[in-house]
Amino acid sequence: MQRYNYSMYHTPFLAEINTLNIQFAFYFQRNASAPLQAGNAQRFPAASIIKIPILLAWVLLERQGEVSQREICHLDDEPEVHGAGFSWLLQARHLPYHDVLLMMMALSDNLCTNLIIRRIGLERLNHLFRQEMGLTGTQLQRKLMDFEARKKGLDNWISADDCIRYFDLFENLNAAEKGWVEPMLLVNQDDLLLKRDLPRDEVDFYHKTGSIPGVLHDWGYTRTCRIFLLTSGATDETVLYPIFGKAGQLLLEN
C-alpha cells in the first residue's frame, strides 16, 4: 500500500506497528482530505469483518425484493455454534431476520451469521460480492465456526482495497436503508480496539470488529472520518491493543 501524508496526522503508532513481525493495513480519511494509507499486506483472514459485506448483500437483495427483514427466521435451522454472540441461548427460537442481522453485527453472533448465509446461499453471496458489489478480494468459503471446512483449507478472506470499497457501499445506501443498517453498527458491543481509549458516549462510531487467534481487525466510520486497521500474524495480541487505541484517537482530532 502507498505511504503518504504522515505529516498531516499524529501517527507514532505506525512506527510501533512497523516494529512488529505482523501483516497490517491501515487507512484513515477525514472529510475530503487525501487519505493516509500504510501497510505491508493486502489480503487478510476475514474473521468477523466478513459480516460487513454479508450485511451489505442483504441490503442489496432486500432492495430487489428477494429478502425481507420482517421475514421470520428459525434459529434451529442451523447447527448450534458458539464463539461470539448468544443466540444459541435464547428461549425464543423464531425471530425476524432484522433481529438476526442485528445480533450478527452488534454481537458478532456466529449462529446468526450462518443463518443469514443459509438464507442467501454461500455461492450467491460470492456472486453478489464480485458481480454487483465490486469486491475483488472478499471471499466466503465456509460458514462461521466450521472447523472441518477450515481443515480442508477453506476460509474467509478480505482485502484492504475491499475495506475501502465498503465505505463507498455504505455511503451509497439510501436514507431508508441507512436508517436501519447504521444503528446495527453503532451499537457494536466490542469497544476493545479502535474505541478502547475514546471517551464514553462522545463519538458515534459505526463499526465492526473481528478477531480470531492472531488476527485483530476494526473497520468503521463517523460522520467525518473513515478508518480501519487490519492485522494478522500476531503471536501476542495484547501488544496490539494499545496500538489500536492510539489509532482510534485520530477520530477525536480536528
Side-chain angles (χ1 to χ4, degrees):
M1 299 181 72
Q2 291 178 306
R3 302 166 182 268
Y4 54 97
N5 289 344
Y6 279 64
S7 61
M8 294 176 59
Y9 305 104
H10 185 60
T11 57
F13 63 89
L14 289 175
E16 292 181 47
I17 203 169
N18 269 307
T19 68
L20 305 176
N21 185 28
I22 66 168
Q23 294 76 52
F24 81 98
F26 175 73
Y27 180 94
F28 178 76
Q29 183 180 31
R30 176 172 285 110
N31 296 317
S33 64
L36 165 64
Q37 295 177 253
N40 57 19
Q42 176 63 224
R43 189 173 188 246
F44 293 85
S48 286
I49 299 298
I50 197 67
K51 296 164 186 175
I52 294 172
I54 291 174
L55 174 64
L56 288 164
W58 181 281
V59 177
L60 177 62
L61 292 178
E62 181 148 342
R63 186 186 300 161
Q64 297 171 353
E66 296 188 37
V67 297
S68 171
Q69 304 163 65
R70 294 182 293 277
E71 181 183 342
I72 297 300
C73 175
H74 302 266
L75 297 185
D76 295 325
D77 280 349
E78 274 292 311
E80 180 180 304
V81 293
H82 298 180
F86 52 67
S87 62
W88 56 280
L89 288 169
L90 294 177
Q91 295 273 323
R93 307 308 294 169
H94 301 89
L95 297 174
Y97 271 102
H98 175 277
D99 295 355
V100 177
L101 290 161
L102 172 60
M103 288 191 285
M104 179 179 80
M105 301 308 294
L107 303 175
S108 211
D109 192 290
N110 291 316
L111 172 58
C112 288
T113 306
N114 287 346
L115 286 159
I116 299 300
I117 295 172
R118 177 189 183 92
R119 176 64 182 86
I120 299 175
L122 192 147
E123 290 304 319
R124 182 77 191 283
L125 280 164
N126 283 306
H127 175 82
L128 291 168
F129 296 163
R130 293 188 304 270
Q131 302 301 320
E132 300 197 42
M133 297 163 62
L135 304 173
T136 59
T138 299
Q139 291 181 292
L140 179 68
Q141 297 180 343
R142 60 170 177 81
K143 292 181 178 177
L144 281 293
M145 307 299 286
D146 187 343
F147 301 112
E148 290 302 314
R150 182 181 290 175
K151 288 178 183 178
K152 296 175 183 177
L154 300 176
D155 218 330
N156 301 324
W157 300 93
I158 56 172
S159 71
D161 285 347
D162 279 1
C163 283
I164 298 171
R165 172 69 178 154
Y166 299 158
F167 292 124
D168 293 331
L169 290 170
F170 275 96
E171 182 65 26
N172 290 333
L173 299 180
N174 64 43
E177 291 163 347
K178 288 181 180 179
W180 68 266
V181 168
E182 288 194 325
M184 296 183 178
L185 300 174
L186 186 61
V187 297
N188 180 2
Q189 297 299 292
D190 183 3
D191 290 344
L192 294 177
L193 297 178
L194 291 173
K195 278 192 75 176
R196 64 183 297 113
D197 295 332
L198 299 183
R200 186 179 296 273
D201 299 326
E202 186 167 317
V203 178
D204 285 342
F205 187 38
Y206 305 86
H207 73 123
K208 182 74 194 77
T209 51
S211 62
I212 54 177
V215 175
L216 291 175
H217 303 320
D218 201 348
W219 174 100
Y221 60 92
T222 68
R223 292 305 180 212
T224 59
C225 299
R226 296 174 168 187
I227 190 171
F228 65 74
L229 179 56
L230 314 176
T231 66
S232 67
T235 56
D236 180 6
E237 296 166 14
T238 62
V239 303
L240 289 171
Y241 290 130
I243 292 175
F244 272 90
K246 292 172 186 176
Q249 290 290 310
L250 289 171
L251 297 173
L252 295 175
E253 297 177 11
N254 295 320

